[in-house]
Amino acid sequence: MMSVAIHGAAPESGPPGAVEPVTLRVSGAKPVRLRGHKLTEGHSRAAGCIAWHEVEIWQLENSREIAVALRTRRPGGEAADLHRAELFPDLAEALDWLEGFDPVADLTVDFDAGDRRLSAVEVALRAAALRGRAEVVTREWRALLGEVLFVLDAEAPA
C-alpha cells in the first residue's frame, strides 16, 4: 500500500506566504540557510519499502529563487537518511531537477554479487528482489512528484 501526502503553501508556523528563516540539512556538507516561504511539501511511503522520499520547495524572500530540500529516508534511523538541498534561479529549473532525480540512486545493495559463497542462482534471486524493491521506490517517487507538480500548477496564477 502506497501513500502520498502533500501539504499546500501555508506554513505551519504562520499565515500563508509568511517568510520564515529556514535551515535545510545536507548530508556531508554545510546546511543551506535561507529566508523564504514554503510553496509545498510532501512525502510518500509504501508499506515495507526500503526507501521513501520527502520534498520541500521554498521560494526565497523577495526573489524568484527556489530552494529544494530532498530527503531519502531509509529504515534504520536518522543515520541512514540522505539529505540534499539545492538552490535554483527559478521554479522551472527546480522542477526540471526534481523530474531528473533518480530515486534509486541512493539504494544500498544488501549483497555482494562477487561473493563466492553465493551461488549464481542466489545472486540472480537477490538481484531480482532488489529490482522489485527499486521499482516500488520508483513508483512511489513518481506518485509524489506528480502530486507536487499538480499542487504547484493548481496554485500558479492563471
Side-chain angles (χ1 to χ4, degrees), residues 6-32:
I6 299 290
H7 306 283
E12 295 173 13
S13 61
V19 175
E20 303 178 54
V22 180
T23 302
L24 305 177
R25 188 170 171 186
V26 179
S27 294
K30 293 188 323 186
V32 173

PDB file of all heavy atoms in Angstrom, residues 6-32:
ATOM      1  N   ILE A   6       0.652  15.443   0.481  1.00  0.00           N
ATOM      2  CA  ILE A   6       1.114  16.740   0.005  1.00  0.00           C
ATOM      3  C   ILE A   6       0.461  17.805   0.867  1.00  0.00           C
ATOM      4  O   ILE A   6      -0.721  17.733   1.171  1.00  0.00           O
ATOM      5  CB  ILE A   6       0.721  16.967  -1.473  1.00  0.00           C
ATOM      6  CG1 ILE A   6       1.353  15.903  -2.368  1.00  0.00           C
ATOM      7  CG2 ILE A   6       1.078  18.358  -1.945  1.00  0.00           C
ATOM      8  CD1 ILE A   6       2.836  16.011  -2.514  1.00  0.00           C
ATOM      9  N   HIS A   7       1.242  18.800   1.214  1.00  0.00           N
ATOM     10  CA  HIS A   7       0.730  19.905   2.000  1.00  0.00           C
ATOM     11  C   HIS A   7       0.846  21.164   1.167  1.00  0.00           C
ATOM     12  O   HIS A   7       1.839  21.357   0.485  1.00  0.00           O
ATOM     13  CB  HIS A   7       1.507  20.054   3.309  1.00  0.00           C
ATOM     14  CG  HIS A   7       1.545  18.772   4.083  1.00  0.00           C
ATOM     15  ND1 HIS A   7       0.474  18.322   4.805  1.00  0.00           N
ATOM     16  CD2 HIS A   7       2.501  17.822   4.188  1.00  0.00           C
ATOM     17  CE1 HIS A   7       0.771  17.158   5.343  1.00  0.00           C
ATOM     18  NE2 HIS A   7       1.997  16.829   4.986  1.00  0.00           N
ATOM     19  N   GLY A   8      -0.146  22.003   1.225  1.00  0.00           N
ATOM     20  CA  GLY A   8      -0.187  23.234   0.436  1.00  0.00           C
ATOM     21  C   GLY A   8       0.794  24.272   0.908  1.00  0.00           C
ATOM     22  O   GLY A   8       1.701  24.006   1.674  1.00  0.00           O
ATOM     23  N   ALA A   9       0.551  25.483   0.472  1.00  0.00           N
ATOM     24  CA  ALA A   9       1.522  26.554   0.646  1.00  0.00           C
ATOM     25  C   ALA A   9       1.575  27.155   2.037  1.00  0.00           C
ATOM     26  O   ALA A   9       2.530  27.822   2.366  1.00  0.00           O
ATOM     27  CB  ALA A   9       1.225  27.666  -0.361  1.00  0.00           C
ATOM     28  N   ALA A  10       0.567  26.981   2.860  1.00  0.00           N
ATOM     29  CA  ALA A  10       0.563  27.652   4.155  1.00  0.00           C
ATOM     30  C   ALA A  10       1.548  27.005   5.120  1.00  0.00           C
ATOM     31  O   ALA A  10       1.426  25.842   5.454  1.00  0.00           O
ATOM     32  CB  ALA A  10      -0.831  27.616   4.765  1.00  0.00           C
ATOM     33  N   PRO A  11       2.571  27.728   5.585  1.00  0.00           N
ATOM     34  CA  PRO A  11       3.491  27.173   6.566  1.00  0.00           C
ATOM     35  C   PRO A  11       2.760  26.925   7.879  1.00  0.00           C
ATOM     36  O   PRO A  11       1.819  27.634   8.210  1.00  0.00           O
ATOM     37  CB  PRO A  11       4.559  28.257   6.745  1.00  0.00           C
ATOM     38  CG  PRO A  11       4.311  29.272   5.680  1.00  0.00           C
ATOM     39  CD  PRO A  11       2.924  29.074   5.174  1.00  0.00           C
ATOM     40  N   GLU A  12       3.201  25.935   8.609  1.00  0.00           N
ATOM     41  CA  GLU A  12       2.557  25.585   9.861  1.00  0.00           C
ATOM     42  C   GLU A  12       2.722  26.669  10.919  1.00  0.00           C
ATOM     43  O   GLU A  12       1.901  26.811  11.802  1.00  0.00           O
ATOM     44  CB  GLU A  12       3.113  24.255  10.380  1.00  0.00           C
ATOM     45  CG  GLU A  12       2.772  23.093   9.468  1.00  0.00           C
ATOM     46  CD  GLU A  12       3.460  21.816   9.889  1.00  0.00           C
ATOM     47  OE1 GLU A  12       3.999  21.753  11.004  1.00  0.00           O
ATOM     48  OE2 GLU A  12       3.454  20.872   9.094  1.00  0.00           O
ATOM     49  N   SER A  13       3.806  27.446  10.858  1.00  0.00           N
ATOM     50  CA  SER A  13       4.085  28.389  11.928  1.00  0.00           C
ATOM     51  C   SER A  13       3.549  29.790  11.666  1.00  0.00           C
ATOM     52  O   SER A  13       3.739  30.670  12.483  1.00  0.00           O
ATOM     53  CB  SER A  13       5.597  28.468  12.165  1.00  0.00           C
ATOM     54  OG  SER A  13       6.226  28.925  10.989  1.00  0.00           O
ATOM     55  N   GLY A  14       2.907  30.026  10.548  1.00  0.00           N
ATOM     56  CA  GLY A  14       2.432  31.371  10.273  1.00  0.00           C
ATOM     57  C   GLY A  14       1.386  31.374   9.190  1.00  0.00           C
ATOM     58  O   GLY A  14       1.006  30.334   8.674  1.00  0.00           O
ATOM     59  N   PRO A  15       0.919  32.555   8.813  1.00  0.00           N
ATOM     60  CA  PRO A  15      -0.103  32.666   7.785  1.00  0.00           C
ATOM     61  C   PRO A  15       0.461  32.331   6.403  1.00  0.00           C
ATOM     62  O   PRO A  15       1.678  32.303   6.228  1.00  0.00           O
ATOM     63  CB  PRO A  15      -0.526  34.136   7.876  1.00  0.00           C
ATOM     64  CG  PRO A  15       0.654  34.840   8.454  1.00  0.00           C
ATOM     65  CD  PRO A  15       1.307  33.845   9.368  1.00  0.00           C
ATOM     66  N   PRO A  16      -0.422  32.087   5.426  1.00  0.00           N
ATOM     67  CA  PRO A  16       0.051  31.785   4.075  1.00  0.00           C
ATOM     68  C   PRO A  16       0.998  32.869   3.571  1.00  0.00           C
ATOM     69  O   PRO A  16       0.755  34.056   3.761  1.00  0.00           O
ATOM     70  CB  PRO A  16      -1.235  31.748   3.245  1.00  0.00           C
ATOM     71  CG  PRO A  16      -2.318  31.467   4.234  1.00  0.00           C
ATOM     72  CD  PRO A  16      -1.871  32.087   5.524  1.00  0.00           C
ATOM     73  N   GLY A  17       2.097  32.438   2.962  1.00  0.00           N
ATOM     74  CA  GLY A  17       3.064  33.377   2.423  1.00  0.00           C
ATOM     75  C   GLY A  17       4.010  33.969   3.452  1.00  0.00           C
ATOM     76  O   GLY A  17       4.816  34.822   3.122  1.00  0.00           O
ATOM     77  N   ALA A  18       3.926  33.555   4.708  1.00  0.00           N
ATOM     78  CA  ALA A  18       4.800  34.098   5.746  1.00  0.00           C
ATOM     79  C   ALA A  18       6.247  33.731   5.449  1.00  0.00           C
ATOM     80  O   ALA A  18       6.540  32.626   5.040  1.00  0.00           O
ATOM     81  CB  ALA A  18       4.391  33.559   7.118  1.00  0.00           C
ATOM     82  N   VAL A  19       7.128  34.701   5.668  1.00  0.00           N
ATOM     83  CA  VAL A  19       8.555  34.465   5.450  1.00  0.00           C
ATOM     84  C   VAL A  19       9.144  33.898   6.730  1.00  0.00           C
ATOM     85  O   VAL A  19       8.922  34.424   7.815  1.00  0.00           O
ATOM     86  CB  VAL A  19       9.267  35.769   5.042  1.00  0.00           C
ATOM     87  CG1 VAL A  19      10.760  35.555   4.927  1.00  0.00           C
ATOM     88  CG2 VAL A  19       8.699  36.275   3.726  1.00  0.00           C
ATOM     89  N   GLU A  20       9.899  32.814   6.587  1.00  0.00           N
ATOM     90  CA  GLU A  20      10.493  32.140   7.741  1.00  0.00           C
ATOM     91  C   GLU A  20      11.992  31.965   7.525  1.00  0.00           C
ATOM     92  O   GLU A  20      12.437  31.756   6.401  1.00  0.00           O
ATOM     93  CB  GLU A  20       9.912  30.734   7.888  1.00  0.00           C
ATOM     94  CG  GLU A  20       8.426  30.644   8.017  1.00  0.00           C
ATOM     95  CD  GLU A  20       7.983  29.194   8.098  1.00  0.00           C
ATOM     96  OE1 GLU A  20       8.488  28.457   8.963  1.00  0.00           O
ATOM     97  OE2 GLU A  20       7.146  28.810   7.290  1.00  0.00           O
ATOM     98  N   PRO A  21      12.788  32.009   8.603  1.00  0.00           N
ATOM     99  CA  PRO A  21      14.179  31.575   8.482  1.00  0.00           C
ATOM    100  C   PRO A  21      14.178  30.047   8.413  1.00  0.00           C
ATOM    101  O   PRO A  21      13.472  29.382   9.173  1.00  0.00           O
ATOM    102  CB  PRO A  21      14.833  32.084   9.758  1.00  0.00           C
ATOM    103  CG  PRO A  21      13.711  32.291  10.717  1.00  0.00           C
ATOM    104  CD  PRO A  21      12.465  32.510   9.927  1.00  0.00           C
ATOM    105  N   VAL A  22      14.941  29.497   7.491  1.00  0.00           N
ATOM    106  CA  VAL A  22      14.930  28.059   7.256  1.00  0.00           C
ATOM    107  C   VAL A  22      16.363  27.551   7.160  1.00  0.00           C
ATOM    108  O   VAL A  22      17.226  28.209   6.578  1.00  0.00           O
ATOM    109  CB  VAL A  22      14.199  27.730   5.935  1.00  0.00           C
ATOM    110  CG1 VAL A  22      14.178  26.250   5.665  1.00  0.00           C
ATOM    111  CG2 VAL A  22      12.792  28.291   5.941  1.00  0.00           C
ATOM    112  N   THR A  23      16.602  26.380   7.733  1.00  0.00           N
ATOM    113  CA  THR A  23      17.884  25.694   7.583  1.00  0.00           C
ATOM    114  C   THR A  23      17.604  24.338   6.959  1.00  0.00           C
ATOM    115  O   THR A  23      16.866  23.534   7.531  1.00  0.00           O
ATOM    116  CB  THR A  23      18.585  25.522   8.946  1.00  0.00           C
ATOM    117  OG1 THR A  23      18.774  26.813   9.530  1.00  0.00           O
ATOM    118  CG2 THR A  23      19.926  24.832   8.782  1.00  0.00           C
ATOM    119  N   LEU A  24      18.166  24.106   5.783  1.00  0.00           N
ATOM    120  CA  LEU A  24      17.979  22.847   5.073  1.00  0.00           C
ATOM    121  C   LEU A  24      19.222  21.994   5.248  1.00  0.00           C
ATOM    122  O   LEU A  24      20.338  22.425   4.950  1.00  0.00           O
ATOM    123  CB  LEU A  24      17.711  23.108   3.585  1.00  0.00           C
ATOM    124  CG  LEU A  24      16.544  24.043   3.266  1.00  0.00           C
ATOM    125  CD1 LEU A  24      16.447  24.278   1.768  1.00  0.00           C
ATOM    126  CD2 LEU A  24      15.248  23.510   3.833  1.00  0.00           C
ATOM    127  N   ARG A  25      19.034  20.807   5.735  1.00  0.00           N
ATOM    128  CA  ARG A  25      20.136  19.890   6.022  1.00  0.00           C
ATOM    129  C   ARG A  25      20.698  19.293   4.736  1.00  0.00           C
ATOM    130  O   ARG A  25      19.955  18.991   3.801  1.00  0.00           O
ATOM    131  CB  ARG A  25      19.619  18.785   6.931  1.00  0.00           C
ATOM    132  CG  ARG A  25      20.680  17.888   7.456  1.00  0.00           C
ATOM    133  CD  ARG A  25      20.106  16.988   8.513  1.00  0.00           C
ATOM    134  NE  ARG A  25      21.075  15.987   8.872  1.00  0.00           N
ATOM    135  CZ  ARG A  25      20.848  14.997   9.682  1.00  0.00           C
ATOM    136  NH1 ARG A  25      19.664  14.874  10.233  1.00  0.00           N
ATOM    137  NH2 ARG A  25      21.775  14.124   9.966  1.00  0.00           N
ATOM    138  N   VAL A  26      22.024  19.112   4.708  1.00  0.00           N
ATOM    139  CA  VAL A  26      22.717  18.493   3.579  1.00  0.00           C
ATOM    140  C   VAL A  26      23.661  17.432   4.135  1.00  0.00           C
ATOM    141  O   VAL A  26      24.501  17.743   4.976  1.00  0.00           O
ATOM    142  CB  VAL A  26      23.520  19.531   2.760  1.00  0.00           C
ATOM    143  CG1 VAL A  26      24.240  18.862   1.604  1.00  0.00           C
ATOM    144  CG2 VAL A  26      22.616  20.655   2.264  1.00  0.00           C
ATOM    145  N   SER A  27      23.538  16.204   3.688  1.00  0.00           N
ATOM    146  CA  SER A  27      24.428  15.137   4.159  1.00  0.00           C
ATOM    147  C   SER A  27      25.857  15.426   3.729  1.00  0.00           C
ATOM    148  O   SER A  27      26.133  15.667   2.555  1.00  0.00           O
ATOM    149  CB  SER A  27      23.979  13.787   3.595  1.00  0.00           C
ATOM    150  OG  SER A  27      22.724  13.432   4.106  1.00  0.00           O
ATOM    151  N   GLY A  28      26.764  15.426   4.684  1.00  0.00           N
ATOM    152  CA  GLY A  28      28.182  15.589   4.396  1.00  0.00           C
ATOM    153  C   GLY A  28      28.607  16.984   3.998  1.00  0.00           C
ATOM    154  O   GLY A  28      29.702  17.164   3.480  1.00  0.00           O
ATOM    155  N   ALA A  29      27.758  17.982   4.228  1.00  0.00           N
ATOM    156  CA  ALA A  29      28.110  19.353   3.858  1.00  0.00           C
ATOM    157  C   ALA A  29      27.416  20.328   4.807  1.00  0.00           C
ATOM    158  O   ALA A  29      26.581  19.939   5.611  1.00  0.00           O
ATOM    159  CB  ALA A  29      27.704  19.633   2.410  1.00  0.00           C
ATOM    160  N   LYS A  30      27.778  21.615   4.653  1.00  0.00           N
ATOM    161  CA  LYS A  30      27.147  22.641   5.472  1.00  0.00           C
ATOM    162  C   LYS A  30      25.675  22.761   5.089  1.00  0.00           C
ATOM    163  O   LYS A  30      25.320  22.605   3.926  1.00  0.00           O
ATOM    164  CB  LYS A  30      27.827  24.000   5.250  1.00  0.00           C
ATOM    165  CG  LYS A  30      29.239  24.064   5.757  1.00  0.00           C
ATOM    166  CD  LYS A  30      29.840  25.461   5.710  1.00  0.00           C
ATOM    167  CE  LYS A  30      29.439  26.281   4.516  1.00  0.00           C
ATOM    168  NZ  LYS A  30      30.114  27.555   4.392  1.00  0.00           N
ATOM    169  N   PRO A  31      24.822  23.071   6.055  1.00  0.00           N
ATOM    170  CA  PRO A  31      23.410  23.271   5.732  1.00  0.00           C
ATOM    171  C   PRO A  31      23.215  24.528   4.890  1.00  0.00           C
ATOM    172  O   PRO A  31      24.062  25.414   4.865  1.00  0.00           O
ATOM    173  CB  PRO A  31      22.746  23.413   7.099  1.00  0.00           C
ATOM    174  CG  PRO A  31      23.824  23.778   8.035  1.00  0.00           C
ATOM    175  CD  PRO A  31      25.104  23.240   7.479  1.00  0.00           C
ATOM    176  N   VAL A  32      22.099  24.580   4.216  1.00  0.00           N
ATOM    177  CA  VAL A  32      21.725  25.750   3.424  1.00  0.00           C
ATOM    178  C   VAL A  32      20.757  26.572   4.279  1.00  0.00           C
ATOM    179  O   VAL A  32      19.741  26.057   4.734  1.00  0.00           O
ATOM    180  CB  VAL A  32      21.044  25.327   2.101  1.00  0.00           C
ATOM    181  CG1 VAL A  32      20.510  26.527   1.347  1.00  0.00           C
ATOM    182  CG2 VAL A  32      22.009  24.523   1.235  1.00  0.00           C
TER     183      VAL A  32
END
